[in-house]
Amino acid sequence: MQKYGLIGYPLGHSFSRDYFNRKFESENIEAEYVNFPVPDIKEFKTVLKDNPELCGLNVTLPYKTQVMQYLDEIDDDARQIGAVNVVKFTRGHFGKLKLKGYNTDVIGFKKSIEPLLAPHHEKALVLGTGGASKAVLQGLKQLGIESVFVSRRPAAGILTYADLTPAVLDGYRVIVNTTPVGMFPRINECPDIPYELLTPSHLLYDLLYNPDETLFMKKGKEKGAVVKNGLEMLLLQAFAGWEIWNK
């Protein structure tokens, strides 16, 4: 039986195990998907040693960057983003294991936002500067959209929330939230942007999917903006990971 899994810590929030095991059952695939909650990335090698039947891994927080040091090869997108969320296992002569890292977050994001884009969506604000934001920035770049990070802390080339003037909001019609602000159970919170400046020309995309409609999205809808959560991105990145493991 094939084995796949997820490495990260903690893993109580992850949807991957249930998603893949349902997929295996419904498609009569002889495989199982298990969680590997490891409190230190140094245990990565132990996971490999104790599970020789592993065919692929997903990687989640906080190890998307740290896992890269253990890989033999890294895909171009993942290298540019600086984060890996899929590891493909291949075995060569005498069973020698080779590990290659990919980033399917960029694939899922790009495919899910593309149908919503209009000609006036030329520039984007990316709220947050964590690992997910790098994948979003790469996806927007591939779609030909100029983007800038927005952070609470000032830094070169990064806007702060205080910098979001009417002129900025008029020029940047796509706003992507990559922060955890507004995630269950803190559903009454939202990123500190000037929602009164939003218009029907704006597109608000939230990587969060719990709740289905975040306060960020609700405030955007009230101004007529197009809004979308991150559930489809989550599913699409999982599809892409399965294709990578089986190509």
Side-chain angles (χ1 to χ4, degrees):
M1 178 180 285
Q2 296 178 336
K3 182 186 280 189
Y4 299 88
L6 173 69
I7 188 167
Y9 193 83
L11 294 180
H13 66 283
S14 173
F15 100 116
S16 298
R17 181 173 61 183
D18 289 344
Y19 167 77
F20 278 108
N21 283 324
R22 283 197 299 266
K23 176 183 176 67
F24 298 154
E25 183 177 1
S26 65
E27 299 181 19
N28 294 315
I29 298 170
E30 289 291 319
E32 67 170 343
Y33 190 102
V34 298
N35 282 349
F36 298 106
V38 296
D40 193 307
I41 190 59
K42 292 177 183 177
E43 296 182 34
F44 181 73
K45 287 187 175 181
T46 303
V47 169
L48 301 183
K49 181 181 177 182
D50 293 346
N51 298 274
E53 68 274 41
L54 268 173
C55 299
L57 281 173
N58 287 123
V59 184
T60 189
L61 297 175
Y63 302 134
K64 290 186 179 185
T65 297
Q66 296 179 46
V67 76
M68 295 171 74
Q69 64 187 301
Y70 297 100
L71 307 180
D72 301 294
E73 190 177 351
I74 298 171
D75 174 72
D76 286 343
D77 271 347
R79 187 179 299 282
Q80 290 183 48
I81 293 164
V84 161
N85 74 320
V86 172
V87 179
K88 179 181 174 70
F89 288 47
T90 55
R91 291 175 173 84
H93 297 299
F94 309 109
K96 181 174 174 56
L97 180 63
K98 179 181 177 182
L99 304 177
K100 183 172 181 178
Y102 297 83
N103 191 299
T104 60
D105 287 335
V106 64
I107 298 171
F109 172 72
K110 189 169 67 171
K111 286 186 175 180
S112 63
I113 197 172
E114 191 169 18
L116 304 177
L117 296 174
H120 60 269
H121 291 139
E122 299 175 339
K123 296 182 179 182
L125 300 173
V126 179
L127 311 182
T129 56
S133 71
K134 310 296 193 300
V136 166
L137 197 77
Q138 180 74 353
L140 291 168
K141 179 181 177 182
Q142 292 175 2
L143 291 167
I145 296 176
E146 179 185 333
S147 307
V148 63
F149 288 128
V150 180
S151 175
R152 291 173 296 175
R153 301 177 183 85
I158 294 178
L159 297 177
T160 66
Y161 288 91
D163 295 325
L164 302 183
T165 63
V168 170
L169 266 290
D170 185 54
Y172 290 80
R173 304 288 182 89
V174 178
I175 306 175
V176 184
N177 178 38
T178 72
T179 78
V181 178
M183 183 169 63
F184 181 85
R186 302 172 74 171
I187 61 174
N188 294 319
E189 298 180 3
C190 60
D192 187 21
I193 67 170
Y195 294 94
E196 70 276 8
L197 299 177
L198 297 177
T199 70
S201 295
H202 282 89
L203 164 59
L204 270 60
Y205 188 110
D206 201 331
L207 265 61
L208 301 178
Y209 53 89
N210 184 12
D212 292 338
E213 186 176 79
T214 61
L215 187 56
F216 170 74
M217 295 168 62
K218 287 178 182 177
K219 286 176 170 285
K221 278 177 71 174
E222 289 172 359
K223 295 297 182 179
V226 175
V227 301
K228 186 177 180 70
N229 71 16
L231 182 59
E232 186 183 35
M233 172 182 167
L234 189 72
L235 294 170
L236 288 170
Q237 67 83 19
F239 297 159
W242 179 249
E243 289 176 358
I244 287 168
W245 288 333
N246 290 279
K247 69 180 179 181

